[in-house]
Amino acid sequence: MRQAKTTEAKRGSLKPLIRMMREAKVPWLAYIFFFALNLYVTNRGIYLYEVAGRIMGGEIHDPTLVREYLMWSLIVVAMGFLIIPNAWVSIQFQRRSQQRAWDTMLRLPLSRYDLMAPSSLVSRVTTDSAFVSNIMTYIVNVFQNGYAIYLAVGVLYRSSARLTYYVAPLIIISALVTIFAGKFAFSINYMLQQIESRLTSFLNERISGLNLIKASQTEKQEISQGEGLTESKFKAQMKRTYYNASIQGFQNFLRLAVTAIVLILGSYLVDKGEMEIGGLITFFMLSISFPGTVQSFFRAILDIITIQGQTQVVAEINDLPRESLESELSPEGKLGSEKLSFENMKFGYFPEQEVIRDFTEEIEPGKLTAIVGPSGSGKTTMLKLIERLYEPDSGEFALGDASTERYHRGEWRSNTGYIIQNSPLLPGTIKENILYGQDADLSEAEWDKLLEICALKEVIDELPAGLSTEVGEIGDRLSGGQRQRIAIARALVGNPELLLMDEATANLDARGEATVTENILRERKGKTTVVVAHRLSTVQNADKIIVMDEGKIAAAGKADWLYENSELYRELVDLQEASA
């Protein structure tokens, strides 16, 4: 039976992040090697400040020192290409994280999708997984900048301990401002991200519903809503701009203050003989870059903290229980030859909201079974349960003498054809849509037979590219009837042992519906077929008709018997005949 399971990540815990890094199979050897190279380049870069200061202080005629400066400068420049392997490690992490997230999405049971917004799941695969992958770069930045701070402090102190004491408070203030400003920046960026997400969702929803907007003459209202969202985005962007300008101005002030102290006090110390001119030059050059290094260090820490929070979201998705496709028994050969039985079965899409109640019935193999009833009685839900897109909450659902839980779910679905009223098409050709999920093409004779059953042959012959005709983004280059015929062909192409039809021909005209229904039932004679029908005239000859009402079975039997003994069935028939 279906089991509800929730994953609650521990906020502030590093375990989800560490687990993601382990599961993504980060190339650790390459990462450690390039990490060590980064630290080495940092060491040489700080050393160059001392060499440059000595040269500018009067040792320019020392050829050994000049050669050393040129050599290490070239090496540091060449090491700038370390960005490529460093990026390679992060991109590898991103690729594997996104692959895992996408794999999880496809393997989640549909019951999970009922509780989650599809747009948020897409964000988990694209934005969040990519964002988390930056952790590899930020870890390098923390250690690289931390190491640079350690080396730089040593150089500054050796150049002038007294000058270091004067400059240090301003650098510490700059670091503290970076920390607190980073927290505020996170809240601003988060707010902007939320607004952009709402704007994107709004635009997607309205564009897909453009026909409804025009038909309802609600353009002005929708324009107003769109303007409101863009206005909110504008205000958030300006708030971020004011913030960035304020922080930049404050940091520039501190940088100029540090420069002034170094130049004024440093010159005084040189005049007093307490400091070498080369040391002052080294101190000056380092003091200009040092605050930025400190800020980068703390900013990287804040980025890691931010990503840690984002990791919780991705980890929660990855930790959701995946749908198990494999099991001990194969349904192949049994789906069409053994009965399907239900006993006291209950099901609801949401807790405490039952759609199917105490359903007890049997579907005989090789027979045509129809399910009818008023709207909302649970007909479509029953087909989803038979297809095993969902699992019952309680009760028994069996194939033959074994519970369906023991049967391989993947093989179950591959041996079942399922047609819904508005079957989706994917971008591509008609042929690709019909063969979707199939491993091999059909012979010419098989194509002719399939197209004949679905009344598609004449349609295909009239199209310039025939089966190679592109259907459009969602099949919008074809009529509703053509799309539905293609969907029917897709369900029949594998000659499934079990066929489920949910108002499969409702989008066809009366003549087309009669033709396609007759062709399918003739082709499926002696095979297990379950049909949900609104037009009762199409299932009058069914071997069994199950009448449902409010999730329960109201009656079951052949059409004539039901008309005599079931008040609900008789009402449905009389109502349709009166409206015909």
Side-chain angles (χ1 to χ4, degrees), residues 77-204:
V77 170
M79 287 299 191
F81 287 98
L82 277 175
I83 190 175
I84 297 175
N86 286 332
W88 176 79
V89 172
S90 292
I91 293 171
Q92 283 278 70
F93 184 23
Q94 175 179 330
R95 176 174 65 89
R96 289 168 179 170
S97 296
Q98 288 182 326
Q99 287 174 343
R100 175 168 172 75
W102 176 236
D103 181 84
T104 301
M105 298 295 175
L106 290 182
R107 296 185 185 277
L108 286 178
L110 285 180
S111 56
R112 295 301 314 184
Y113 283 95
D114 294 332
L115 306 174
M116 307 167 77
S119 58
S120 68
L121 291 176
V122 173
S123 176
R124 299 294 87 83
V125 177
T126 55
T127 306
D128 292 347
S129 294
F131 188 53
V132 169
S133 71
N134 291 328
I135 188 71
M136 308 304 295
T137 301
Y138 296 145
I139 290 174
V140 171
N141 289 344
V142 167
F143 283 95
Q144 186 176 9
N145 288 311
Y147 185 50
I149 292 171
Y150 167 76
L151 295 175
V153 168
V155 173
L156 292 173
Y157 192 82
R158 286 196 301 271
S159 300
S160 174
R162 184 178 176 184
L163 192 54
T164 302
Y165 294 143
Y166 280 98
V167 171
L170 291 179
I171 294 176
I172 293 173
I173 291 173
S174 175
L176 292 175
V177 168
T178 301
I179 294 173
F180 290 110
K183 292 181 178 180
F184 186 63
F186 173 76
S187 63
I188 293 177
N189 288 327
Y190 179 79
M191 177 179 65
L192 183 58
Q193 182 184 11
Q194 295 296 103
I195 293 173
E196 288 179 338
S197 176
R198 290 199 300 270
L199 179 59
T200 300
S201 298
F202 174 82
L203 294 176
N204 286 335

Side-chain angles (χ1 to χ4, degrees), residues 33 56 72 87 103 119 196 216 244 303 309 334 393 396 429 441 443 449 453-454 484 493 503 511 529 531 540-541:
F33 175 72
M56 296 174 71
W72 286 116
D103 181 84
S119 58
E196 288 179 338
S216 303
N244 288 337
D303 287 333
K334 298 180 180 180
D393 294 325
E396 289 296 327
T429 65
D441 197 354
S443 66
K449 181 179 180 181
I453 292 173
C454 303
Q484 195 62 20
V493 69
E503 304 281 6
R511 181 179 177 184
T529 304
V531 178
Q540 287 298 300
N541 297 321

Side-chain angles (χ1 to χ4, degrees), residues 5 26 28 30 99 103 111 124 145 177 232 254 262 323 421 452 472 547 549 558:
K5 179 181 177 181
V26 174
W28 289 111
Q99 287 174 343
D103 181 84
S111 56
R124 299 294 87 83
N145 288 311
V177 168
S232 298
L254 289 177
V262 172
E323 187 177 51
Q421 182 174 348
E452 192 68 40
V547 184
D549 187 26
K558 286 185 173 291

Side-chain angles (χ1 to χ4, degrees), residues 254-389:
L254 289 177
R255 193 176 298 112
L256 290 173
V258 169
T259 302
I261 292 173
V262 172
L263 291 177
I264 296 171
L265 184 58
S267 298
Y268 172 79
L269 294 175
V270 170
D271 287 341
K272 289 289 185 178
E274 297 180 20
M275 188 176 187
E276 297 291 334
I277 185 65
L280 176 58
I281 295 171
T282 299
F283 201 106
F284 176 74
M285 289 188 296
L286 262 178
S287 66
I288 293 175
S289 62
F290 190 64
T293 303
V294 174
Q295 292 168 19
S296 297
F297 173 75
F298 285 104
R299 190 178 297 115
I301 292 176
L302 289 172
D303 287 333
I304 290 175
I305 294 173
T306 301
I307 284 180
Q308 184 183 345
Q310 201 76 16
T311 303
Q312 308 285 348
V313 180
V314 180
E316 286 172 3
I317 297 295
N318 287 339
D319 286 347
L320 289 174
R322 300 186 181 192
E323 187 177 51
S324 176
L325 295 178
E326 299 180 359
S327 194
E328 56 184 297
L329 299 178
S330 171
E332 190 169 354
K334 298 180 180 180
L335 264 176
S337 61
E338 298 192 23
K339 67 179 180 181
L340 294 169
S341 58
F342 312 89
E343 185 175 350
N344 298 322
M345 190 174 69
K346 297 181 180 180
F347 172 78
Y349 294 105
F350 305 103
E352 300 179 0
Q353 188 181 25
E354 288 185 348
V355 178
I356 302 298
R357 302 179 179 88
D358 300 318
F359 191 95
T360 300
E361 188 53 76
E362 292 183 351
I363 294 177
E364 297 294 333
K367 304 291 186 180
L368 171 62
T369 302
I371 303 178
V372 302
S375 297
S377 58
K379 305 185 296 296
T380 294
T381 299
M382 275 305 305
L383 290 195
K384 291 179 180 178
L385 290 167
I386 296 173
E387 169 74 351
R388 297 186 69 192
L389 296 177

